[in-house]
Amino acid sequence: MASAACGQGLRTDGGSNVRAFGAKGDGVTDDAAAIQRAIDTVAKAGGGVVTIDPGVYLLRYRPSDDGDGGSGLTLRSGVTLAGTDRDRCILKLADAQLGPGSYARIIASQGELARAGLRGFSIDGSRQAQGQFRDEFGGAAVLLGWKGRCIDVTVENMAVRDAVGQGIMLQGTTGNLSRNLRIANNLVERTSFIGIQCSQFDGIEIVGNRLNNCRDNAIDVYGDDTEGHSTVATSHRAMIADNIIRGSSIGVFLETVADCIATRNVITDCRTAGVRVNRIHGEPRNLTISRNKISGTPIGVAMGGDTGGVMIRDNDIRGFDKAGIELSYNVSRVTATGNRFVPKTAQVPIVLGRPTILGSKPEEQLAHIDIHDNRVPRRHDPAKLFVNGYRRTVEVAVGGFTRE
């Protein structure tokens, strides 16, 4: 969806090596100013690749160009920052760089960022070395598009470890969406908040990434209009595929987005759910959750709020102890078919209808639900195939389970 356009961001003409601008890569010298000179010089010359050779490049924060918090480096339009060896080219945040009220980013951008990229190096966020601020959620290792948007931006073959806040974040705004984005083949682990997050976009691929032990969600896409409270989702067209996720809060979180696919992801040992669809104001619409392998999570797929259509099909969901599919708070227009459910015990609900408040005004309801032709263990308790706590339902059909 986005790869052809994003390829334009990984330019090979022009460019320079950060060592030519004074970067030492010795793990002691603050190399932020030297690397920034390389980025700025290449940007002013029309764009190209800024190359990082093997070494440990220490970075300290300075006041960010956008006037909000601190940052180590500012990526410019037309520039790709590229390492020659991902495991040996390391940007490392110095100790004790965070403080009260900061919105800290190791790599940031100012305003609109276009035709730019990051590839082939590691970022060490030194989370434990940030002292009492190591568990903050404001900021990120990579945050591009803050107070602007991203156009034709690629982040690929990166390793992001121990970030305070998000690992990789690409942003747009409600009236100025990011477009043609690609986050591919990265390793993100041990973040204090979300692993990969994208908001306010039209067209993104999040593919082939590995995410381990993120304190919050592993992959999170978001598209709510918090100011206008519109019921129309503002983020569209995400392909979330072939990612391997382990040990986060939720594996893939689809919040108020439309026209998105989550497929062929392997999600293991997440603390809350494998996949969650959630509504704030904007209506999640035309979402497909298919061919994922989800294991060891309390809930396989969790739903919250009315939707404009969600298809859950051909997933393998195992080892859950709360529900295979949970439908919570006014859920509507969900179809689930072709899935295999293998719960921890025969007493765990396959489908759980769970209103948040019984007797609310108006009463919460479950509406337009079609769950059929799914597989369950032969000895599963028939009373636990569908456990429904809603008192108000409209066109709810749950049945046709195949025992195997």
Side-chain angles (χ1 to χ4, degrees):
M1 177 163 47
S3 57
C6 289
Q8 299 171 11
L10 302 182
R11 301 185 58 173
T12 57
D13 55 316
S16 191
N17 192 294
V18 297
R19 291 185 183 272
F21 290 83
K24 301 297 184 184
D26 58 12
V28 177
T29 305
D30 181 3
D31 285 325
I35 298 173
Q36 191 63 58
R37 284 195 297 272
I39 292 170
D40 292 348
T41 299
V42 171
K44 289 177 182 177
V49 177
V50 172
T51 303
I52 304 171
D53 284 338
V56 177
Y57 299 82
L58 194 70
L59 304 179
R60 296 185 184 278
Y61 284 136
R62 55 177 171 73
S64 178
D65 287 356
D66 58 27
D68 196 345
S71 61
L73 301 172
T74 300
L75 190 63
R76 308 295 188 191
S77 291
V79 175
T80 293
L81 188 61
T84 58
D85 183 325
R86 187 179 84 172
D87 295 331
R88 296 195 300 138
C89 301
I90 302 168
L91 302 187
K92 179 179 174 62
L93 184 65
D95 295 353
Q97 293 299 292
L98 301 185
S102 65
Y103 199 83
R105 293 145 285 170
I106 297 174
I107 300 179
S109 66
Q110 180 184 22
E112 181 171 304
L113 180 71
R115 306 174 312 284
L118 303 172
R119 71 166 185 248
F121 62 92
S122 295
I123 297 176
D124 181 352
S126 303
R127 179 179 163 195
Q128 294 305 316
Q130 307 313 316
Q132 63 180 305
F133 307 108
R134 65 184 179 274
D135 292 334
E136 293 292 310
F137 60 86
V142 174
L143 200 170
L144 305 178
W146 177 248
K147 295 186 176 181
R149 65 172 178 172
C150 299
I151 302 292
D152 299 334
V153 169
T154 297
V155 180
E156 64 181 3
N157 193 31
M158 298 282 292
V160 179
R161 298 183 173 94
D162 299 302
V164 174
Q166 283 92 339
I168 299 170
M169 186 173 186
L170 304 184
Q171 281 194 335
T173 61
T174 301
N176 200 23
L177 300 179
S178 289
R179 301 183 186 277
N180 299 329
L181 311 177
R182 180 174 169 83
I183 302 175
N185 305 318
N186 302 287
L187 170 64
V188 180
E189 53 189 2
R190 300 186 301 272
T191 62
S192 72
F193 198 42
I194 294 166
I196 295 173
Q197 185 178 46
C198 299
S199 62
Q200 315 303 349
F201 58 83
D202 184 5
I204 184 168
E205 293 179 341
I206 304 175
V207 298
N209 302 283
R210 287 185 294 140
L211 300 103
N212 300 320
N213 302 313
C214 299
R215 197 168 180 221
D216 202 84
N217 306 324
I219 296 174
D220 185 312
V221 290
Y222 174 85
D224 193 53
D225 180 358
T226 55
E227 294 183 3
H229 295 180
S230 171
T231 59
V232 178
T234 56
S235 291
H236 301 265
R237 298 192 307 123
M239 172 62 75
I240 303 170
D242 302 310
N243 301 285
I244 299 174
I245 296 166
R246 180 183 295 274
S248 300
S249 176
I250 294 171
V252 176
F253 193 88
L254 307 170
E255 186 161 39
T256 58
V257 292
D259 310 314
C260 298
I261 298 171
T263 185
R264 301 188 306 273
N265 301 289
V266 178
I267 302 170
T268 306
D269 297 333
C270 288
R271 296 182 296 278
T272 304
V275 178
R276 178 170 176 82
V277 176
N278 193 61
R279 175 173 181 169
I280 301 179
H281 303 103
E283 180 182 68
R285 178 176 289 274
N286 190 25
L287 306 181
T288 300
I289 301 164
S290 70
R291 299 171 61 192
N292 301 286
K293 294 182 178 180
I294 302 171
S295 62
T297 66
I299 302 168
V301 179
M303 305 284 303
D306 287 322
T307 81
V310 176
M311 170 63 75
I312 305 167
R313 69 167 185 247
D314 302 326
N315 300 282
D316 191 301
I317 302 174
R318 297 172 178 268
F320 53 91
D321 59 14
K322 186 174 179 182
I325 297 176
E326 182 189 71
L327 309 171
S328 178
Y329 186 68
N330 278 339
V331 177
S332 67
R333 303 191 187 282
V334 175
T335 300
T337 187
N339 303 286
R340 175 184 281 119
F341 297 100
V342 183
K344 271 194 171 182
T345 73
Q347 300 302 310
V348 176
I350 302 299
V351 180
L352 175 62
R354 189 181 66 84
T356 55
I357 302 174
L358 281 174
S360 61
K361 302 294 183 181
E363 182 86 6
E364 292 180 34
Q365 72 173 16
L366 199 60
H368 311 295
I369 306 297
D370 181 10
I371 298 178
H372 64 277
D373 296 327
N374 297 284
R375 291 169 284 174
V376 299
R378 183 177 300 278
R379 294 180 176 82
H380 196 77
D381 186 345
K384 300 297 183 179
L385 294 172
F386 180 33
V387 177
N388 184 24
Y390 286 87
R391 299 189 298 200
R392 182 179 177 186
T393 62
V394 178
E395 295 185 12
V396 173
V398 179
F401 291 96
T402 298
R403 293 179 177 272
E404 58 180 22

